[in-house]
Amino acid sequence: MEHSRKNIFLTVIAVIITIIFLFPVYWMVKTSLTPITDLFQTPPEFGLMNSTFTAYIDNFINNQDMLHYIGNSFIVAIGTMVMSLLFAVPGAYALARLDIRGKSILLILLLAIQMLPGITMAMPLFIMFSKLHLVDSYLGLILADMIHALPFAVLILRPSFLALPKGLEEAAAIDGCNKFTAFTRIILPLVVPGMMTVAVFCFLFGWGDFIFALTLTTENSVRPLTLGLYRFIGQYGTEWNNLMAVATIAAMPIIIIFVALQRYVVGGIVAGSMKD
C-alpha cells in the first residue's frame, strides 16, 4: 500500500511538472489561434474560445514569404548537420581510439571553444567571410554554424567510440581489413546511436541560429526563419498572433525529429556515458 501511494505521489508530481513545462507551448499555440482583438483582454482567456486560423492563412497561404524562410532554415540546418558529422566522426574517433600526442590539450581547447558564446565569434567570422565572399550565402551560414557546433559534436561523440572494446580494430585487421575499412565497416555501425544524437543536436544548432544569421546576411533570399520572425516585431508594436503562428510552425520540425528519433537520441546519450 505504501509503495502504491508513493507511485501515485510521484506520478502526480511528474504530471504537474509536465504541465508546467508544456504550458508555454500551449500558450504559444493558443495565442496563434486568438483574434488580435482578443489578445489583450483582462482577465486573459485560457481556453480556445473564438479560435481562428487567420494568422496561419495570412502567413502561409495568402503570403508565402514564410515558406521561403522555412526553406532557407532547412537548407542551413541540414547542411550544418551533414558538415558537422563529416568532420566530427573522424575527429572523435581519432581522439578516442588513436594515440595522439597532446590529446588532453586538444580536449581542453574543444571545451574552451564550446564555452565561447556565438556572439564573440560572429564579428571575426564576418570579417573573414567578407574577404572570402561568403556573406549572404548558404555556405557561409552553414560553415559558421558548423564551427559553433563542431566542438560540441566531437565531445558528445567521443565517449561512444571510447565505449567500444579496444580489440575491434585488431580483430578486423586479422580478417583482412585495413584501417579505413575497419573504421567504416566495423566501428561506424556500432556508434550509430551516438551519430544520430549528434545529428539531431547539430540540426538544432542550424535551425535555431540567430546570431550568425543576423551578422552574416543582409538579403532576405538567404535569411532563415529566425530572422523572418522579426518581421512581426515593429517600432509601434508586435503582431503576437502572427508571430506565434509562425513560431508554432517553426517548432514542428523540432518536435517531429525528437519524437521520431527519441530512441536513437536516448540510446546515444546512454552509450556515450558508459565510458569516458
Side-chain angles (χ1 to χ4, degrees):
M1 178 65 70
E2 183 178 352
H3 182 70
S4 177
R5 290 179 178 177
K6 183 179 179 180
N7 288 338
I8 294 174
F9 175 75
L10 292 176
T11 301
V12 172
I13 295 297
V15 170
I16 293 174
I17 293 175
T18 302
I19 292 174
I20 292 174
F21 276 97
L22 289 181
F23 181 77
V25 178
Y26 166 77
W27 197 256
M28 176 180 68
V29 177
K30 187 260 182 190
T31 302
S32 71
L33 297 172
T34 302
I36 193 169
T37 55
D38 298 337
L39 284 177
F40 303 103
Q41 66 178 3
T42 304
E45 175 62 51
F46 289 91
L48 295 176
M49 301 297 293
N50 301 323
S51 297
T52 176
F53 289 91
T54 302
Y56 292 91
I57 295 173
D58 290 342
N59 290 287
F60 297 102
I61 297 179
N62 296 337
N63 185 349
Q64 299 184 359
D65 289 345
M66 287 299 152
L67 296 179
H68 178 72
Y69 287 119
I70 291 174
N72 290 342
S73 289
F74 270 112
I75 293 173
V76 173
I78 293 174
T80 301
M81 178 185 68
V82 173
M83 293 288 288
S84 296
L85 281 175
L86 187 64
F87 289 97
V89 170
Y93 175 79
L95 290 174
R97 312 287 287 186
L98 303 182
D99 186 14
I100 301 175
R101 182 176 299 178
K103 183 188 300 185
S104 299
I105 297 176
L106 289 175
L107 290 173
I108 292 174
L109 287 175
L110 287 175
L111 284 171
I113 295 172
Q114 179 62 33
M115 294 177 184
L116 291 175
I119 189 64
T120 61
M121 296 186 288
M123 187 53 63
L125 286 176
F126 175 78
I127 295 173
M128 181 173 64
F129 284 5
S130 296
K131 296 179 179 179
L132 297 174
H133 305 288
L134 291 176
V135 175
D136 283 325
S137 68
Y138 293 122
L139 181 59
L141 290 175
I142 291 171
L143 289 176
D145 291 332
M146 184 204 72
I147 291 171
H148 188 52
L150 190 57
F152 172 84
V154 172
L155 292 173
I156 290 296
L157 193 55
R158 176 176 171 268
S160 295
F161 288 109
L162 285 173
L164 299 179
K166 294 183 177 180
L168 285 178
E169 289 88 344
E170 289 81 359
I174 294 175
D175 290 336
C177 294
N178 56 35
K179 290 185 178 181
F180 180 76
T181 54
F183 174 69
T184 56
R185 296 182 181 181
I186 306 299
I187 302 298
L188 283 186
L190 296 176
V191 295
V192 167
M195 291 173 60
M196 295 296 291
T197 303
V198 170
V200 169
F201 283 104
C202 288
F203 180 91
L204 296 182
F205 269 106
W207 183 262
D209 171 57
F210 176 80
I211 296 298
F212 296 135
L214 181 64
T215 307
L216 301 176
T217 62
T218 58
E219 299 179 2
N220 287 329
S221 59
V222 296
R223 284 188 159 182
L225 185 59
T226 49
L227 291 185
L229 289 170
Y230 258 69
R231 294 182 56 178
F232 305 113
I233 302 176
Q235 181 179 0
Y236 301 105
T238 301
E239 302 175 31
W240 288 109
N241 57 338
N242 291 326
L243 179 63
M244 292 298 104
V246 177
T248 299
I249 298 299
M252 292 305 297
I254 301 173
I255 296 173
I256 292 172
I257 288 173
F258 269 100
V259 170
L261 303 179
Q262 179 183 7
R263 176 167 59 92
Y264 294 101
V265 173
V266 174
I269 294 174
V270 172
S273 64
M274 291 179 63
K275 184 173 182 179
D276 190 91

